[in-house]
Amino acid sequence: MKGKKGNKKQWGKKKGRGKGAGNRLIDEQLRNSSSIWNKSIDFVPARNLQLATGYKSSKESIQKTDSGVEVAVLGRDKDGFKRPKRLAMEKSLVLRWKKAMPVGAGLVNLGNTCFANSVLQCLTYTPALASLCQASYYHKNHNPRPGFDAMAQLEIHISRALSHSKKVIAPKSIMAKLRMVNKGFRPMQQQDAHEFFICYLDAIHTACTSNLGNCSYQERSRAPSLVSAIFGGHLMSQTECQTCHHKSNTFDAFVDISLEIRGINKLYDALSHYTRREKLSVNNSFKCESCKNKVQIHKRISIHSLPRVLCFQLKRFSFSHAFGSKLKHKVKYLPVLNMHAFLSANLKQQVRKEDCVYDLYAVLVHSGFSLACGHYFCYVKSANNLWYLMNDSQVSFTKPHIAMDQSAYMLFYTRRHAPAPAALPASGQNEKEMKKKMEEIEKRKKMKEQQQQQQQ
């Protein structure tokens, strides 16, 4: 997403179960209605990335793209979600540090670049991403992108930062190309750390998919990349007619989730508020495509595909006036987070609670009165399992309870275990075929019994 003020609502283009556009009537009316404040879909995916890591379908095959990259092709699940292609290498991604290492380098502030420094440090201590960078995965598997290659530069930066303990390095190669990350970024100007995070992931995805050759923007945006492998998940938006109880599903990709915190003091409560069931129409203004009546509808957002790395933005900034304002209160967050309660209903039945556990590894903080002024720094959990304050060039050991007691702006969690649930039904069509076969077997069995009775 480009642009500094606020988060734009984005509606995914993936369709749920049903045939044709008729099954999307309620959602289409929602999108066209200016009177509905859609606070539930309030996350910020990197442009139109169609990202997923999620769970295996009962049908999976490995294919090679024109550039030789292996991808896994997945089928639909019972909610009608067609899982996108993903990189075959995702199965070997590590979610924990392979070995203990000392904390890495501090970063020189090159002129109001604390917003970028804090994000780069959070990315550096993302175990799944750091392990790939240390192994030079991108350099070995991709041709350099002409001009600014965001992933190539990040791979060099992370490897350099982790190998220069007790030193300070200057991320000049990235800061010199800020306008390539976002045209609105200017040298020596303060920017939003969350916006930099989203835009840089977008630039990484562009670099990772640059080898696809001649293809449409839509095809490129849906292609698998390191961003989808590590940060990508999906939300399911389900609307339900209150007259005939017909349900319609749509799906949206995300790389992080933005949570309302006004009047909320706990991360768990913010997630409950985000995924709550809500009434959207009071005056029967939406037409149900099933019963053909104008009805009241209820809507609920749930997580349909969990990412390997889960990022939250706590919405502290408001733009109600020229200089904006900030919510300064602390929102309690824990070192361990279980996301099972926020999954879609069908996915809850397929996934064990212990497979939904996340561990906190980075906390990004903004100090100041508004987005237009202030300072960014972060706390990270290093490969030696210790917490450190990363404040530009300053790197200092800190105790865990201090990292847990901040007015956090962004939170970074890594999944404890790799996804390994039971296989999901391939599609509703396959279920119908299976049911039909079972009926045929029962019919043949009855006919055989009748023949035996007649012979007797």
Side-chain angles (χ1 to χ4, degrees), residues 360-363 379-381 385-388 396-398 400 403-404:
L360 183 71
Y361 72 90
V363 179
Y379 294 84
V380 299
K381 192 175 185 180
N385 209 34
L386 299 176
W387 281 92
Y388 292 87
S396 56
F397 168 78
T398 189
M404 297 297 120

Side-chain angles (χ1 to χ4, degrees), residues 107 113-125 175 190-194 196-197 362-366 375-380 390-392 409-410 412:
L107 302 181
T113 58
C114 59
F115 70 95
N117 284 350
S118 58
V119 170
L120 289 175
Q121 294 287 29
C122 291
L123 292 176
T124 298
Y125 292 92
M175 301 308 172
Q190 177 73 287
Q191 307 293 341
D192 179 22
H194 176 253
F196 177 78
F197 170 72
V363 179
L364 192 149
V365 183
H366 175 270
H375 179 64
Y376 290 99
F377 56 92
C378 67
Y379 294 84
V380 299
M390 316 297 278
N391 189 356
D392 287 334
Y409 180 45
M410 294 183 69
F412 296 78

Side-chain angles (χ1 to χ4, degrees), residues 33-78:
S33 174
S34 59
S35 62
I36 297 298
W37 174 248
N38 177 34
K39 63 181 180 308
S40 292
I41 298 282
D42 200 8
F43 61 95
V44 187
R47 283 187 184 172
N48 194 24
L49 292 181
Q50 302 297 318
L51 311 174
T53 53
Y55 307 102
K56 292 182 181 180
S57 168
S58 58
K59 287 192 174 182
E60 177 175 330
S61 62
I62 302 296
Q63 296 181 1
K64 280 192 175 182
T65 63
D66 294 337
S67 59
V69 178
E70 288 189 342
V71 297
V73 183
L74 306 175
R76 288 184 183 272
D77 65 16
K78 62 193 302 182

Side-chain angles (χ1 to χ4, degrees), residues 315-382:
K315 298 175 66 176
R316 295 191 174 277
F317 299 111
S318 172
F319 304 98
S320 55
H321 53 80
F323 297 100
S325 61
K326 178 185 174 184
L327 298 174
K328 300 177 184 177
H329 68 281
K330 292 180 180 179
V331 175
K332 185 178 180 180
Y333 50 92
L334 298 175
V336 178
L337 177 66
N338 195 311
M339 293 296 293
H340 190 269
F342 311 110
L343 300 181
S344 56
N346 286 324
L347 199 58
K348 282 183 182 179
Q349 300 174 4
Q350 301 289 338
V351 183
R352 301 176 301 175
K353 287 185 178 181
E354 53 265 36
D355 290 329
C356 302
V357 177
Y358 286 80
D359 295 306
L360 183 71
Y361 72 90
V363 179
L364 192 149
V365 183
H366 175 270
S367 63
F369 296 100
S370 71
L371 191 60
C373 63
H375 179 64
Y376 290 99
F377 56 92
C378 67
Y379 294 84
V380 299
K381 192 175 185 180
S382 183

